[in-house]
């Protein structure tokens, strides 16, 4: 039986409408794949461009009442409860959607699975982290006392890995490439760095907890952080310049080990 003309027209119309949807879906998948290749520090530094906060190393809030290094050595750490768990109370702002909240809390659960850190919704604790969406992704270093803000801008910071990076700052950890022994593991290409951003690469007298340098740390910059131009590497691993740095997955094995060492888990 030969289909009627009207039926043929309907079939052709359906096919013509289906093809663009398929192409669009493929393009969307490609965009997602491309987005997933961006390391976390690149996302953070991009999101923080133009932030009104005074930020050290790109995403650490400059201390307003005490020196960050002094805070480190005075053990400005979060306290353990009677069960031996380190409780870090938090509040997530109402500006975040249910899905965004799930992403943030999913990042928090990665700590609970392998360390004694427990991010817990605040009840009446005096010291707590207030997670908000401000201009950029940033945190203060360690426990500062009272309410301390941790910003995860809704437009570019709500990723599990970025949440873990900023939460690790709040636990007291600095960037890997600023640790005291970094010159044995990476070369800083000062000529490729935006001059006014060079201070972000200064070394600190850090407590390395007798652990090796970790190229895969969630706290390590990508190789072109604060570069003067695209394709200009600011950090080169040594002796092997091809070692991958600036990962985007989450806490590394040594990140977890250091948390457990610092907090005596």
């Amino acid at each position: 039986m030969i289909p009627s003309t009207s039926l043929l027209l309907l079939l052709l119309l359906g096919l013509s409408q289906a093809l663009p949807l398929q192409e669009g879906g493929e393009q969307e998948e490609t965009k997602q794949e491309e987005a997933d290749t961006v390391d976390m520090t690149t996302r953070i530094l991009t999101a923080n461009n133009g932030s009104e906060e005074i930020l050290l190393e790109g995403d650490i809030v400059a201390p307003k009442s005490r020196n960050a290094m002094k805070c480190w050595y005075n053990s400005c750490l979060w306290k353990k409860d009677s069960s031996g768990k380190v409780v870090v109370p938090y509040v997530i702002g109402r500006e975040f959607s249910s899905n965004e909240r799930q992403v943030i809390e999913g990042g928090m659960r990665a700590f609970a699975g392998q360390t004694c850190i427990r991010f817990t919704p605040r009840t009446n604790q005096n010291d707590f982290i207030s997670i908000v969406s401000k201009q950029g992704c940033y945190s203060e270093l360690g426990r500062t006392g009272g309410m301390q803000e941790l910003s995860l801008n809704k437009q570019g910071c709500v990723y599990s890995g970025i949440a873990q990076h900023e939460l690790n700052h709040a636990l007291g950890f600095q960037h890997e490439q600023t640790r005291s022994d970094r010159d044995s593991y990476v070369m800083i290409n000062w000529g490729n760095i935006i001059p006014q951003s060079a201070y972000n690469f200064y070394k600190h007298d850090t407590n390395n907890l007798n652990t090796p340098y970790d190229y895969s740390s969630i706290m390590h910059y990508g190789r072109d952080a604060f570069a003067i131009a695209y394709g200009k590497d600011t950090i080169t691993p040594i002796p092997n310049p091809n070692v991958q740095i600036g990962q985007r997955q989450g806490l590394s094995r040594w990140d977890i080990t250091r948390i457990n060492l610092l907090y005596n888990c």
Side-chain angles (χ1 to χ4, degrees):
M1 181 176 180
I2 300 174
S4 66
T5 302
S6 59
L7 179 58
L8 285 171
L9 287 174
L10 285 172
L11 289 171
L12 289 172
L13 179 60
L15 179 61
S16 67
Q17 290 179 333
L19 287 175
L21 287 175
Q22 182 179 2
E23 292 172 358
E26 290 174 353
Q27 291 173 355
E28 193 63 36
E29 288 178 5
T30 301
K31 289 178 182 177
Q32 184 63 41
E33 289 174 1
E34 290 174 351
D36 285 345
T37 63
V38 180
D39 65 80
M40 283 178 291
T41 52
T42 297
R43 290 189 192 278
I44 291 170
L45 297 178
T46 300
N48 290 356
N49 186 29
S51 174
E52 295 178 356
E53 288 284 345
I54 301 175
L55 301 175
L56 306 177
E57 299 176 28
D59 68 333
I60 301 175
V61 177
K64 298 177 176 62
S65 60
R66 56 187 172 187
N67 182 277
M69 293 304 296
K70 183 177 180 181
C71 180
W72 178 277
Y73 285 112
N74 283 350
S75 298
C76 295
L77 305 179
W78 298 86
K79 307 302 182 182
K80 288 185 177 180
D81 63 10
S82 57
S83 69
K85 305 300 182 184
V86 178
V87 177
V88 183
Y90 71 88
V91 173
I92 296 180
R94 294 182 179 179
E95 65 267 32
F96 293 101
S97 68
S98 175
N99 287 339
E100 290 166 339
R101 185 184 183 98
Q102 288 179 18
V103 170
I104 296 169
E105 292 182 328
M108 292 176 172
R109 284 193 292 274
F111 292 84
Q114 303 177 82
T115 75
C116 61
I117 305 297
R118 297 293 183 270
F119 292 98
T120 306
R122 180 194 182 221
T123 52
N124 59 355
Q125 295 92 338
N126 292 325
D127 298 346
F128 66 98
I129 295 173
S130 174
I131 301 174
V132 295
S133 175
K134 288 196 172 180
Q135 193 173 4
C137 336
Y138 55 80
S139 172
E140 295 180 271
L141 185 64
R143 179 180 60 83
T144 61
M147 183 192 77
Q148 58 188 82
E149 282 189 346
L150 186 156
S151 175
L152 295 173
N153 184 274
K154 288 164 59 70
Q155 302 306 314
C157 304
V158 184
Y159 294 87
S160 177
I162 291 180
Q164 290 175 30
H165 179 103
E166 300 304 339
L167 289 167
N168 223 27
H169 278 317
L171 290 176
F173 289 93
Q174 300 193 12
H175 292 122
E176 187 72 0
Q177 76 286 336
T178 63
R179 58 183 268 171
S180 56
D181 61 352
R182 65 99 184 276
D183 290 337
S184 297
Y185 303 96
V186 296
M187 178 174 64
I188 305 301
N189 305 309
W190 298 100
N192 292 344
I193 300 171
I194 299 169
Q196 58 268 34
S197 299
Y199 70 92
N200 293 300
F201 294 85
Y202 294 165
K203 288 188 298 183
H204 296 303
D205 185 17
T206 52
N207 176 6
N208 299 324
L209 298 165
N210 294 317
T211 60
Y213 192 90
D214 184 14
Y215 295 106
S216 65
S217 172
I218 198 174
M219 307 309 290
H220 206 301
Y221 274 177
R223 60 179 65 237
D224 60 353
F226 295 102
I228 56 175
Y230 178 77
K232 296 286 188 180
D233 287 357
T234 55
I235 306 173
T236 302
I238 53 177
N240 181 2
N242 298 317
V243 171
Q244 183 178 354
I245 59 175
Q247 57 98 351
R248 55 190 170 84
Q249 300 301 324
L251 295 168
S252 74
R253 179 172 66 90
W254 283 114
D255 287 330
I256 293 165
T257 298
R258 289 170 185 163
I259 293 169
N260 287 330
L261 287 171
L262 184 63
Y263 281 91
N264 194 26
C265 292

